[in-house]
Amino acid sequence: MKRILTLVASAMIICTPISAKKVKGYSCTSDNVLTFTVDSIDYRSDLTRVYGRVKGRPHTSNRIDEVQYIGGGTALKSNDIDGVDFRRYFQWEDNGEIPLEIDFPATKPVTGVQLLFTTPRGQSTTTAKKIATKH
């Protein structure tokens, strides 16, 4: 039994992705169509996940049909979103903010990205740049 537990624990350590890199500290600008703030970007071997918050006027609605990630000379189309559903209307609650996790195919870390949101009100662009940190 002790050997089995040791093997299972070893397998879990071996299967854990070592190449994942979560990058925090972005300065963001958005246009007037949709306001999105990037909290962090998790660069994994199997996907790139953008964590952030979409903001709007409380008790109004909007819809996100798709999101594109443009950075480092590549353009990637999102393949999943958590917090709202693609192509379905959602409503902002009292605080006017919804946390989102947006998944893209795996890519390498870059210092600046653009996220293009397709909405019924047109395309919205959020530009996120890594803030330089002093050591």
Side-chain angles (χ1 to χ4, degrees):
M1 182 69 166
K2 196 174 188 181
R3 286 183 183 172
I4 293 173
L5 290 175
T6 303
L7 286 173
V8 169
S10 297
M12 288 174 60
I13 291 170
I14 291 170
C15 293
T16 303
I18 297 172
S19 62
K21 180 178 181 182
K22 192 168 191 175
V23 181
K24 297 181 179 183
Y26 285 90
S27 116
C28 298
T29 56
S30 295
D31 56 24
N32 292 330
V33 177
L34 188 74
T35 301
F36 183 76
T37 303
V38 175
D39 294 328
S40 63
I41 301 177
D42 194 359
Y43 294 97
R44 302 181 191 176
S45 61
D46 59 338
L47 64 86
T48 298
R49 178 169 289 162
V50 177
Y51 296 90
R53 294 166 277 123
V54 65
K55 297 178 184 179
R57 200 171 87 224
H59 309 293
T60 63
S61 64
N62 205 338
R63 190 178 80 206
I64 298 172
D65 294 333
E66 74 174 23
V67 184
Q68 290 183 26
Y69 170 106
I70 300 171
T74 53
L76 305 169
K77 185 177 174 184
S78 58
N79 48 30
D80 192 22
I81 190 168
D82 289 329
V84 299
D85 294 326
F86 283 130
R87 294 173 287 286
R88 294 188 75 181
Y89 278 93
F90 59 87
Q91 180 173 325
W92 277 282
E93 299 298 330
D94 293 334
N95 69 355
E97 193 171 279
I98 300 172
L100 296 180
E101 296 177 10
I102 309 167
D103 292 348
F104 300 90
T107 189
K108 294 181 181 181
V110 293
T111 57
V113 300
Q114 278 191 326
L115 298 169
L116 300 176
F117 291 82
T118 302
T119 76
R121 296 180 176 105
Q123 279 216 323
S124 176
T125 303
T126 294
T127 303
K129 293 184 181 180
K130 178 76 177 101
I131 299 171
T133 57
K134 295 180 182 179
H135 294 279

